[in-house]
């Protein structure tokens, strides 16, 4: 939620204030700003430069942080439109930490935008395997299946998501998109 991201930013900033050399706090800050821009919770022209600065600071302090590479890759993808630079950063994040659900999630979104649907679905599913209790990862699998035009699978995934997280409104939105694509308009409504 927006409140959750704001609280995250506040806590990461507190950590930075306590120890300005603590790279994971900068990576977390970068992730918060990047997600806020990507989800329309903060203007991209404001949030993405903050995300980029925080990610670069994290990497200046520690080149091995997967989440910092993922955040920088997201900025290059969603704001700079630097496709090759984005993919390089995202793959580096996964290479450094194959168990980072954040890196797999970011790479999944990139692959979907590049039209590489099957790879995108695989990355989203990997992220969910790594972190099965995070609602947005379950939602991401449904989203990638929608863009892969695998609507029956997407509907199944999103129903599962809503069983686990009935208040996740965006899952209903995505479910509606899939029903509409199947011309199941009453269900879509």
């Amino acid at each position: 939620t927006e409140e959750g991201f704001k609280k995250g930013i506040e806590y990461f900033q507190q950590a930075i204030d306590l120890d300005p050399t603590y790279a994971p706090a900068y990576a977390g800050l970068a992730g918060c700003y990047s997600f806020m821009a990507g989800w329309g919770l903060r203007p991209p022209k404001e949030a993405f430069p903050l995300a980029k600065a925080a990610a670069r600071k994290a990497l200046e302090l520690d080149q091995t942080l997967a989440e910092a590479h993922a955040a920088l890759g997201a900025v290059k993808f969603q704001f700079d439109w630097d496709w090759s630079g984005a993919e390089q950063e995202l793959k580096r994040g996964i290479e450094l930490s194959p168990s980072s659900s954040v890196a797999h999630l970011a790479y999944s979104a990139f692959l979907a935008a590049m039209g590489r649907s099957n790879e995108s679905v695989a990355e989203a599913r990997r992220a969910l395997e790594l972190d099965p209790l995070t609602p947005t990862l379950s939602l991401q699998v449904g989203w990638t299946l929608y863009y892969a035009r695998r609507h029956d699978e997407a509907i199944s995934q999103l129903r599962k998501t809503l069983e686990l997280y009935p208040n996740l409104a965006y899952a209903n939105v995505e479910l509606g998109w899939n029903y509409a694509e199947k011309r199941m308009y009453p269900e879509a409504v």
Side-chain angles (χ1 to χ4, degrees), residues 87-162:
E87 185 162 25
Q88 181 181 350
E89 290 294 336
L90 295 166
K91 286 171 110 175
R92 181 70 177 138
I94 291 170
E95 178 185 308
L96 288 167
S97 181
S99 64
S100 170
S101 63
V102 171
H104 287 282
L105 172 69
Y107 193 39
S108 172
F110 170 81
L111 291 167
M114 297 296 109
R116 294 161 58 186
S117 300
N118 290 334
E119 292 172 83
S120 174
V121 170
E123 287 295 327
R125 285 188 169 148
R126 181 68 183 131
L128 183 59
E129 285 172 15
L130 292 166
D131 189 357
L133 299 179
T134 296
T136 52
L137 297 179
S138 186
L139 188 65
Q140 178 78 5
V141 174
W143 181 81
T144 59
L145 288 165
Y146 169 80
Y147 280 101
R149 293 171 174 50
R150 293 160 55 178
H151 301 297
D152 289 329
E153 290 176 72
I155 288 167
S156 175
Q157 176 64 39
L158 292 164
R159 283 182 179 161
K160 233 184 280 181
T161 302
L162 285 166

Side-chain angles (χ1 to χ4, degrees), residues 21-39:
T21 66
Y22 186 57
Y26 289 99
L29 193 60
C32 284
Y33 285 129
S34 181
F35 278 115
M36 287 185 83
W39 291 355

Side-chain angles (χ1 to χ4, degrees), residues 41-108:
L41 300 174
R42 203 156 177 183
K45 286 185 178 184
E46 174 189 311
F48 278 125
L50 293 170
K52 183 187 278 188
R56 285 191 170 150
K57 181 65 177 177
L59 292 171
E60 177 185 308
L61 294 167
D62 183 351
Q63 277 287 318
T64 67
L65 288 177
E67 289 75 13
H69 285 282
L72 186 56
V75 172
K76 287 183 176 197
F77 154 48
Q78 295 177 316
F79 189 69
D80 295 338
W81 294 16
D82 174 2
W83 313 133
S84 63
E87 185 162 25
Q88 181 181 350
E89 290 294 336
L90 295 166
K91 286 171 110 175
R92 181 70 177 138
I94 291 170
E95 178 185 308
L96 288 167
S97 181
S99 64
S100 170
S101 63
V102 171
H104 287 282
L105 172 69
Y107 193 39
S108 172

